Structure formats: C-alpha cells, structure tokens
C-alpha cells in the first residue's frame, strides 16, 4: 500500500482553480519531488495534505485512511510531519531542549515550562541531533544558530515525531547552493535509513534531478507529468511550462538557471 494517496484533489480561490483534480501516490521510503512554476499549486497541495486547507473535492489517504478533513493537529498525530514553513523553534531554549520538547510532545507527556527542560529524553534528543550533524551545538541557545543550522534543528524536531511522511515545502529557500545540496542530501540519507517517505518542493532542478526518486510536475493546478529524472527532463510539456521561467533545460540533460555559468 502507498503511504500517501492523493486523489482528484481540488481547491479554488475565487475563480482560480489552484489545484484542479490532482492524483498521485507517495510510496514507502520514497523521496518524491513536487515541482512546477510559481503558482502551479504546489503549496496549496501541501496545505491540503497537512490540514491547513480543506479541499473542495477529492481525498487524501494516509496508509489507506482518509485524513482529508482532519485538523492539522490530528494529521500530525497520524504521522504526517512537516518542516520549514513555520518558525518551529523556541529561541529562548537551547538546541537540545527544543528537541527534548518535541520528544515530550510525541510521547504525550505534559511539561510545565518552568524555565528549563531538564534531563527528560536528553539521550534520545542527542542521538537525533547527532543524526542531523548538530550534536556539537546541543547546548547553544537556538537564537544564535546560523540559518542552515536552524533548518537542521527543525529537521531533528520533525524526526522526533517519528513521521511516516515528511512534507517539506521549499526547505532550502534562501540557502546557497552548497548548503542546499547538503540539506537535501541529508534528508535523502534519512529517508533511506529510516524508511520514511518525503514529499518536497525545490526550486533547483539540479537538486531535484540529483536526489528525487520520482518527480511529479504541476502546472496551473494540474498534474502534467510524473516519472524519474530522465523522463521528466525529456518531457516536452514540462520543458514548455518552464520556458521563460529562467530555468534552462540543457541538451545533455542537466538543467541550470539561465545566466548561471555552465557546469
Ligand atoms: P505554488 O506553491 O506552486 O507556487 P500556490 O499553491 O501557492 O502555488 O498557488 C496556486 C494558485 O493559487 C496561485 O494562482 C495563487 O495565486 C493562488 N492562491 C494560493 N493561495 C491563495 C489564497 N490563500 N487566496 C487566494 N489565492 C491563492
Ligand atoms: Mg509554494
């Protein structure tokens, strides 16, 4: 069974069909990229899957069970994690305390915030920080972190909930190319190690074609293609919707931003 089944999903805003009958699955352990030009409906899809928006039509199933009209909190509890859209960290706490609080919440334990979090789940939190390469910063204040490190902390917090599916809408927004590659490579390793599934959006075609197991392409609210990197790269409809968006599809297969130096 697929982890996630999205079927005939639809949402309009006024007269605009932001998402217009979109159907796709996410398989277990799959790293699936949802791409498309600005305004294609990617974020609207994410927000219907995570419960922020109620669909006008269609269904979303997690391991066979409909989650389409549950609250964000219920969907999160059912095992759909997400990162990077909200400022998920508490600046006044240390890095490890943020992960400990996520673990407390995941284990259903009540905690009264009387200043510090204490030793609860410290070992497990440290192990998660180690996994995202942040163990050496465990006792730093969260507000001192560099941008890329905040993202890695948010990833550790998301993992604390042991999600079946992780949603990442533009996780690398605002990152330089090297940092962007490192973050996506890290998430990909976690997908492989833990068998979780990830649905993500990403502007860099290089990153998408390098790391995604499969790619789903939206344009004006509709799914226009899905497949592996080679088939998406060669797809004429996909090339057509990216015309004029600053992305250049190279003959040999690589894609780069217009104006960027050739690799
Ligand atoms: P993407 O994430 O692919 O860039 P979005 O899902 O954000 O696309 O947007 C899809 C379309 O829906 C766009 O035309 C956008 O202007 C419109 N849209 C998205 N959210 C809203 C909203 N809250 N109110 C009105 N229109 C919206
Ligand atoms: Mg978006």
């Amino acid at each position: 069974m697929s982890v996630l089944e999205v079927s005939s999903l639809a949402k309009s805003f006024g007269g605009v069909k932001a998402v217009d009958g979109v159907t796709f699955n996410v398989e277990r352990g799959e790293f699936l990229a949802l791409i498309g030009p600005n305004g294609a409906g990617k974020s609207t899809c994410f927000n219907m899957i995570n419960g922020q928006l109620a669909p006008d039509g269609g269904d979303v199933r997690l391991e066979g069970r409909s989650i389409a009209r549950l609250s964000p909190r219920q969907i999160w509890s059912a095992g759909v994690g997400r990162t990077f859209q909200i400022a998920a960290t508490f600046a006044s706490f240390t890095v490890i305390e943020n992960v400990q609080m996520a673990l407390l919440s995941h284990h259903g334990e009540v905690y009264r915030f009387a200043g510090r979090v204490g030793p609860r789940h410290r070992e497990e939190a440290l192990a998660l920080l180690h996994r995202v390469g942040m163990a050496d910063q465990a006792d730093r204040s969260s507000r001192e972190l560099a941008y890329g490190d905040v993202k890695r902390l948010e990833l550790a917090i998301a993992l604390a909930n042991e999600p079946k599916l992780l949603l990442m809408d533009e996780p690398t927004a605002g990152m330089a190319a090297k940092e962007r590659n490192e973050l996506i490579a890290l998430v990909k390793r976690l997908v492989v190690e833990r068998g979780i599934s990830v649905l993500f959006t990403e502007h860099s075609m290089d990153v998408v074609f390098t790391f995604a197991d499969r790619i789903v392409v939206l344009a004006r609210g509709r799914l226009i293609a899905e497949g592996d990197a080679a088939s998406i790269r060669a797809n004429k409809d996909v090339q057509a919707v990216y015309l004029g968006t600053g992305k250049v599809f190279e003959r040999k297969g690589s894609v780069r931003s217009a104006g960027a130096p050739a690799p």
Side-chain angles (χ1 to χ4, degrees):
M1 189 199 298
S2 302
V3 171
L4 190 79
E5 297 162 85
V6 172
S7 50
S8 306
L9 201 60
K11 183 79 188 176
S12 294
F13 296 106
V16 178
K17 288 183 175 173
V19 173
D20 188 8
V22 167
T23 298
F24 66 89
N25 290 351
V26 185
E27 306 303 331
R28 191 171 307 282
E30 191 172 43
F31 197 45
L32 181 66
L34 185 63
I35 68 168
N38 278 337
K42 305 179 296 293
S43 292
T44 305
C45 272
F46 271 90
N47 290 336
M48 287 192 278
I49 297 168
N50 71 34
Q52 300 274 98
L53 277 177
D56 294 341
D59 201 6
V60 179
R61 289 180 173 269
L62 182 70
E63 295 185 330
R65 171 187 166 221
S66 180
I67 57 168
R69 277 143 192 100
L70 301 183
S71 70
R73 175 83 203 178
Q74 288 170 317
I75 291 172
W76 180 83
S77 297
V80 179
R82 65 195 163 113
T83 61
F84 311 134
Q85 282 176 302
I86 37 170
T89 59
F90 295 95
S92 61
F93 288 87
T94 64
V95 168
I96 195 164
E97 283 172 334
N98 269 288
V99 183
Q100 287 174 271
M101 285 190 289
L103 288 165
L104 283 164
S105 163
H106 177 55
H107 293 295
E109 296 163 26
V110 177
Y111 178 76
R112 287 184 216 294
F113 295 98
R116 299 257 71 94
V117 177
R120 302 265 323 137
H121 302 300
R122 197 179 154 92
E123 286 304 307
E124 197 183 346
L126 200 55
L128 283 171
L129 287 174
H130 186 70
R131 233 13 247 108
V132 301
M134 290 283 290
D136 57 340
Q137 304 200 59
D139 293 313
R140 289 185 68 183
S141 165
S142 301
R143 68 162 61 89
E144 296 168 7
L145 294 179
Y147 186 67
D149 291 341
V150 172
K151 301 260 173 178
R152 289 194 289 162
L153 171 57
E154 289 182 7
L155 188 56
I157 289 169
L159 291 175
N161 190 43
E162 298 186 77
K164 294 169 180 144
L165 171 72
L166 199 54
L167 302 175
M168 305 194 316
D169 193 0
E170 298 193 28
T172 68
M175 285 184 157
K178 180 169 176 285
E179 216 179 15
R180 183 191 299 155
N181 268 284
E182 285 169 0
L183 184 74
I184 296 297
L186 168 63
V187 176
K188 171 92 183 205
R189 283 198 300 276
L190 293 169
V191 166
V192 172
E193 277 170 19
R194 296 181 173 239
I196 56 177
S197 309
V198 173
L199 178 65
F200 73 109
T201 65
E202 166 62 46
H203 275 299
S204 162
M205 290 298 155
D206 280 335
V207 168
V208 167
F209 288 152
T210 303
F211 294 106
D213 294 321
R214 199 157 57 89
I215 301 160
V216 169
V217 188
L218 297 185
R220 290 196 201 89
R222 290 180 165 269
L223 191 155
I224 60 161
E226 65 178 297
D228 62 12
S231 75
I232 295 300
R233 212 156 24 199
N235 186 298
K236 293 280 178 283
D237 294 337
V238 177
Q239 292 174 7
V241 300
Y242 275 104
L243 263 183
T245 63
K247 307 267 188 223
V248 179
F249 282 64
E250 299 282 273
R251 245 225 166 78
K252 268 158 71 187
S254 106
V255 172
R256 60 188 173 84
S257 293

